Amino acid sequence: MKFFIDTANLAQIKEAHELGILDGVTTNPSLMAKEGVKGKEAVMQHYKTICEMVDGDISAEVISTDFDGMIAEGKELVKIHKNIVVKVPMIKDGIKAIKWFTENGIKTNCTLVFSAGQAILAAKAGATYVSPFIGRIDDGGWDGIDLIHQIRQIFSVQGFNTEILAASIRNPNHIIKCAEAGADVCTCPLDSILGLLKHPLTDIGLAKFLEDAKKFA
Ligand code: G3P
């Protein structure tokens, strides 16, 4: 399973990248706004900086909701860097745009996916990635991991090549469960990635080893 970081924060991207386990980055308009990036030039420059930091797929989201607008934005975005993946919302014109991008050799990430039916449509249109939002499904009282299992089953049975990119990850256990369910990629906040490191028995064991090491230092 590939690890992407789900942020536009450069310090967090750097920290995850330095761990040596980062395969890519996903952003969205909310994450960009959180970093205070304002204006088209600044947004484009921010994506360029991220692309220069991490050699992997970098999702940059369109903000148009009509076909022509999404195509125009996507064409601009892919000029920034060869690793840009155009992130497109799961709406009718989004599906048409994904089909167009696919036919024109441009990678896509279909975002805001909350059902298996939406995932099938994205795969039929040729999306490179489909992004089910695990945490937001859990927030609604359903089980996001169940959706990952269901999409994995469908894509495997049908032979769809679209990669399942589990998004809206809220904790380390989500990452483990997504790996178990067969997600191809998990895009995570830095805290959730670092949370995988933690176990109290590791801390207790290390403290004891270091204490005993003093006996022969
Ligand atoms: O990748 C999608 C993600 O950013 C959404 O996460 O925590 O806002 O549901 P969240």
Side-chain angles (χ1 to χ4, degrees):
M1 185 174 75
K2 287 183 274 188
F3 269 58
F4 289 0
I5 188 165
D6 193 27
T7 185
N9 182 284
L10 301 181
Q12 291 186 11
I13 293 170
K14 183 169 182 282
E15 189 173 340
H17 185 48
E18 283 172 356
L19 265 180
I21 50 85
L22 197 61
D23 300 298
V25 181
T26 53
T27 63
N28 63 40
S30 305
L31 294 171
M32 292 294 274
K34 203 170 153 192
E35 297 311 311
V37 188
K38 278 202 174 73
K40 191 179 167 191
E41 285 303 309
V43 167
M44 300 300 246
Q45 181 53 51
H46 203 79
Y47 286 138
K48 189 164 184 277
T49 304
I50 295 172
C51 289
E52 285 163 357
M53 290 172 75
V54 179
D55 185 19
D57 282 352
I58 312 295
S59 289
E61 188 160 341
V62 297
I63 49 177
S64 300
T65 53
D66 64 295
F67 176 80
D68 290 338
M70 284 189 253
I71 300 302
E73 272 191 67
K75 283 179 178 173
E76 291 268 301
L77 288 169
V78 295
K79 280 186 206 154
I80 299 172
H81 194 277
K82 65 177 173 51
N83 289 346
I84 288 284
V85 174
V86 181
K87 204 170 181 187
V88 178
M90 166 41 73
I91 53 177
K92 195 193 264 185
D93 275 25
I95 290 300
K96 292 181 195 171
I98 289 169
K99 180 76 178 169
W100 188 92
F101 287 128
T102 304
E103 284 173 351
N104 285 276
I106 292 171
K107 285 186 174 182
T108 53
N109 174 357
C110 183
T111 190
L112 291 166
V113 167
F114 293 91
S115 76
Q118 292 177 327
I120 291 170
L121 271 182
K124 284 293 290 177
T128 314
Y129 298 105
V130 61
S131 288
F133 275 32
I134 302 314
R136 293 191 194 184
I137 292 173
D138 287 359
D139 292 345
W142 297 279
D143 187 341
I145 300 297
D146 278 353
L147 180 59
I148 300 292
H149 278 288
Q150 192 181 19
I151 298 173
R152 174 75 287 149
Q153 170 71 8
I154 292 167
F155 282 13
S156 298
V157 166
Q158 297 296 332
F160 287 133
N161 293 323
T162 297
E163 293 190 46
I164 303 168
L165 194 168
S168 185
I169 297 295
R170 300 281 167 76
N171 55 58
N173 200 42
H174 267 158
I175 302 175
I176 296 163
K177 291 288 179 189
C178 284
E180 201 174 36
D184 298 289
V185 190
C186 214
T187 190
C188 326
L190 181 62
D191 282 356
S192 298
I193 297 174
L194 296 180
L196 292 172
L197 289 165
K198 291 182 194 155
H199 197 288
L201 291 179
T202 303
D203 298 338
I204 292 166
L206 181 61
K208 175 74 173 135
F209 285 157
L210 295 179
E211 190 186 313
D212 289 343
K214 288 180 195 156
K215 295 174 188 165
F216 59 83

